[in-house]
């Protein structure tokens, strides 16, 4: 399977993209790992697995100094996740012992549905 490409359009698509990354490879204890399990930055071309938070970071392309309009899709994606995850820290939720890749995928699916129910990107 080829590693999915990066893009940013709106909150729902950020969640779709993050789901593609987690489906490709999932990790715990760091935002992203290379093929040998070593930690790398989520946007690194060497990344082959991502945590929930790492996948969100890797799913978007932000300018070095993003403004409110640029951050709106990310805020929307995070708000949707907050509707389906009670833990306020995504890294803590992702790294909880017993957490599975399937649970992370299901959570991203549920958050995407929340975004879809909201309609436009006004969050």
């Amino acid at each position: 399977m080829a590693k999915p490409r990066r893009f940013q359009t709106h909150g729902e698509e950020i969640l779709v993209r993050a789901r593609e990354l987690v489906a490709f490879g999932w990790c715990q204890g760091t935002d992203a790992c290379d093929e040998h399990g070593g930690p790398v930055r989520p946007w690194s071309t060497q990344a082959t697995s991502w945590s929930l938070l790492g996948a969100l970071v890797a799913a978007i392309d932000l300018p070095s100094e993003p403004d409110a309009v640029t951050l709106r899709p990310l805020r929307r994606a995070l708000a949707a996740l907050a509707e389906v995850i009670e833990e306020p820290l995504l890294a803590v939720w992702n790294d909880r012992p017993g957490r599975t890749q399937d649970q992370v995928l299901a959570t991203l699916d549920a958050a995407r549905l929340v975004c879809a129910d909201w309609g436009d990107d006004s969050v």
Side-chain angles (χ1 to χ4, degrees):
M1 175 188 322
K3 189 160 86 173
R5 61 181 168 57
R6 292 173 65 175
F7 68 91
Q8 174 188 349
T9 53
H10 56 77
E12 188 176 348
E13 287 184 358
I14 290 172
L15 293 165
V16 167
R17 168 71 175 128
R19 188 198 192 286
E20 289 173 353
L21 292 170
V22 169
F24 184 83
W26 175 66
C27 66
Q28 290 181 296
T30 188
D31 289 337
C33 291
D34 63 17
E35 65 181 287
H36 305 291
V40 295
R41 296 192 184 275
W43 55 87
S44 168
T45 59
Q46 302 303 310
T48 59
S49 62
W50 296 262
S51 68
L52 175 58
L53 180 58
L56 289 169
V57 170
I60 59 174
D61 287 314
L62 291 175
S64 59
E65 295 185 26
D67 59 15
V69 173
T70 313
L71 290 174
R72 184 176 294 139
L74 180 58
R75 282 196 317 267
R76 180 181 174 85
L78 291 170
L81 281 166
E83 292 291 320
V84 297
I85 295 176
E86 292 188 22
E87 170 61 53
L89 300 174
L90 296 180
V92 169
W93 183 88
N94 182 85
D95 294 348
R96 183 164 288 130
R99 180 75 60 218
T100 68
Q101 182 179 21
D102 286 340
Q103 290 172 329
V104 178
L105 293 171
T107 297
L108 285 162
D109 289 338
R112 185 192 57 77
L113 292 174
V114 168
C115 268
D117 286 346
W118 286 339
D120 68 15
D121 255 355
S122 60
V123 172

